[in-house]
Every structure is written in C-alpha cells, then in structure tokens.
C-alpha cells in the first residue's frame, strides 16, 4: 500500500512569506502528526490531528498552524517565515491518535529553506 | 514521557551484530519502549517496541531488563544499509499521542 506522501519535497521561501505543506496519510489512517527537525533542536512535535480536530500541540508559536480535511489529508501552514524555520518538516500517520501497536509511519518530509 | 539516554555514536562491522543500548531509568509501568531509526534525509522508520518481554521481528530484537530501566536493540547481522540514527523512545500508549525524540545513536556500519 502507498506510504505517507508529503508535498512538495523541497521548498525555498523568503523571510516574511508564508508556506503551506501537505501530507496525505496512509489509506485508512485517520491521525496525522507533524514534526520539525533541525540540526540544533532535533525532532520536535508540532501538532496532531484526528478526525479534523487538533488533539495535541507542541511548544511552537502561533505562526505554525495546521488543519485536517475529511479525507484525513492534512496541511500545515507557517506564516511570516523566519530564517530559523528552515527545517525538515515530517508528517506521520497512524490509525488512531495513540499510534496503534506499530507506532507511526513517517513520510520523507518537506525540506524548507528560508532565505 | 520518561527520558532516555543513548550513546551518541557507535560503529559496527558489516555482518556482525549491532547492540544499541538505551537507559530509561524513570520509565513508568504503562510506558512502552519504542525504537525508530532515521536514515539520512528520510523520515524515521518504526523498528520494534516492547513493554516487559523481549521482542523479535524481521528487523531486530529488543531486550528489556527485568527492572525495565534499560534496553538493548539488536540488529543480528548489520549491513551498510543499517547505517542510521537510532532513537529509543518511551511512551505511554494509553495517554500520549506524540513521540518525544532524544538525540539518538548514530550507528555507522563499515566494511
């Protein structure tokens, strides 16, 4: 079966702009989580959505937001981009918010560069 | 979620067993031990998880000490494709809906 699909794969944006990243979970998975990975902070949890509702949120400023659609696809948005937002953004899907017995399945990520 | 401590790096010769340790001395009774790995520029990949008993699947074995304060991930016959960062995570699957990653162990498999 198809894995977690994230688009675009690479993105370059200018400071002050906003960006939208997309994630399509594995078919049948209803929970989508987002993570940010930087060399300095490592992998950090952003938020999780289940049944179109945000169920959990990490410690990120309000510039970071997300949503989930009825087909479980999710988008995350970052407004007023800063240089420090340059990172690999990873999406993970699971059957339920608790990750099921087999944890989460991650996509390959979107590499965002802010210049 | 309990914190974990892992060595920052390890080397292993191809074909030999790779034994990756993890300390989780503050683990609580409801927390499982999960292992993920991340190959360069890819998303983390689930390997194995366990609560108390040792576990084995097609990828690896997980040995958890009787007091559950530490565990070891064993890759029985490491290959070059096993070169990656390995993360040990403890998580209460009943309540936590996120993974808290530490810094992991960078495993380098060499010829």
């Amino acid at each position: 079966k198809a894995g977690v699909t994230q688009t675009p794969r690479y993105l370059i944006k200018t400071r002050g702009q906003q960006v939208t990243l997309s994630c399509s979970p594995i078919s049948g998975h209803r929970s989508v989580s987002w993570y940010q990975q930087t060399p300095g902070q490592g992998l950090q949890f952003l938020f999780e959505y289940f049944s179109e509702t945000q169920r959990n949120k990490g410690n990120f400023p309000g510039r970071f937001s997300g949503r989930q659609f009825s087909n479980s696809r999710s988008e995350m948005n970052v407004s007023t981009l800063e240089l420090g937002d340059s990172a690999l953004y990873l999406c993970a899907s699971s059957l339920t918010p608790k990750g099921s017995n087999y944890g989460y399945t991650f996509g390959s990520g979107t590499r965002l560069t802010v210049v | 979620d309990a914190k974990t401590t892992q060595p920052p790096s390890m080397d292993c010769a191809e074909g030999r067993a790779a034994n990756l340790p993890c300390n989780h001395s503050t683990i609580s009774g409801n927390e499982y031990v999960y292992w993920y790995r991340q190959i360069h520029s890819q998303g983390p990949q689930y390997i194995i998880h366990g609560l108390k008993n040792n576990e084995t699947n097609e990828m690896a074995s997980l040995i958890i000490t009787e007091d559950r304060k530490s565990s070891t991930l064993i890759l029985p016959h490491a290959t070059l494709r096993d070169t990656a960062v390995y993360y040990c995570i403890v998580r209460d699957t009943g309540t936590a809906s996120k993974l808290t990653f530490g810094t992991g162990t960078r495993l380098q498999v060499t010829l």
Side-chain angles (χ1 to χ4, degrees):
Chain A
K1 59 182 177 182
V4 178
T5 303
Q6 291 189 247
T7 56
R9 191 76 174 86
Y10 300 93
L11 204 52
I12 299 176
K13 288 286 189 178
T14 304
R15 268 184 305 173
Q17 287 186 311
Q18 66 98 24
V19 67
T20 299
L21 311 181
S22 178
C23 172
S24 293
I26 289 174
S27 178
H29 284 194
R30 296 170 60 197
S31 174
V32 173
S33 304
W34 289 88
Y35 291 78
Q36 181 197 64
Q37 186 172 28
T38 61
Q41 299 297 319
L43 274 155
Q44 293 187 290
F45 172 78
L46 279 158
F47 29 64
E48 176 177 30
Y49 287 86
F50 178 74
S51 294
E52 302 178 62
T53 302
Q54 187 180 90
R55 297 300 180 105
N56 198 357
K57 188 177 188 303
N59 188 25
F60 278 82
R63 300 185 298 108
F64 292 81
S65 63
R67 59 178 176 169
Q68 186 180 35
F69 303 95
S70 58
N71 62 358
S72 295
R73 189 177 70 86
S74 177
E75 289 181 347
M76 68 162 283
N77 184 276
V78 188
S79 63
T80 318
L81 284 166
E82 301 176 0
L83 295 178
D85 297 332
S86 295
L88 180 66
Y89 289 89
L90 292 156
C91 166
S93 80
S94 66
L95 282 168
T96 69
K98 296 172 184 176
S100 81
N101 285 335
Y102 300 99
Y104 298 85
T105 302
F106 283 81
S108 296
T110 293
R111 171 79 60 186
L112 172 65
T113 302
V114 182
V115 297
Chain B
D1 294 335
K3 290 188 176 179
T4 63
T5 303
Q6 300 177 252
S9 63
M10 293 182 65
D11 292 329
C12 179
E14 190 176 34
R16 305 296 294 269
N19 297 287
L20 292 89
C22 179
N23 285 322
H24 31 79
S25 59
T26 60
I27 193 170
S28 67
N30 297 325
E31 289 179 318
Y32 283 71
V33 180
Y34 278 79
W35 283 83
Y36 282 77
R37 73 180 182 183
Q38 186 174 26
I39 296 170
H40 183 61
S41 294
Q42 297 181 21
Q45 175 191 24
Y46 166 83
I47 301 173
I48 198 167
H49 76 283
L51 182 64
K52 297 180 184 177
N53 301 320
N54 298 337
E55 302 287 345
T56 295
N57 63 20
E58 65 278 4
M59 288 183 68
S61 295
L62 173 60
I63 308 298
I64 302 174
T65 57
E66 193 169 342
D67 63 7
R68 302 208 324 122
K69 292 185 177 182
S70 66
S71 60
T72 301
L73 177 74
I74 301 172
L75 308 178
H77 305 287
T79 71
L80 297 177
R81 286 179 291 183
D82 292 322
T83 293
V85 178
Y86 288 77
Y87 295 98
C88 169
I89 300 165
V90 293
R91 185 170 77 102
D92 185 340
T93 59
T95 58
S97 60
K98 67 176 183 179
L99 296 172
T100 301
F101 289 86
T103 53
T105 295
R106 184 173 298 277
L107 174 68
Q108 180 69 52
V109 180
T110 57
L111 290 171

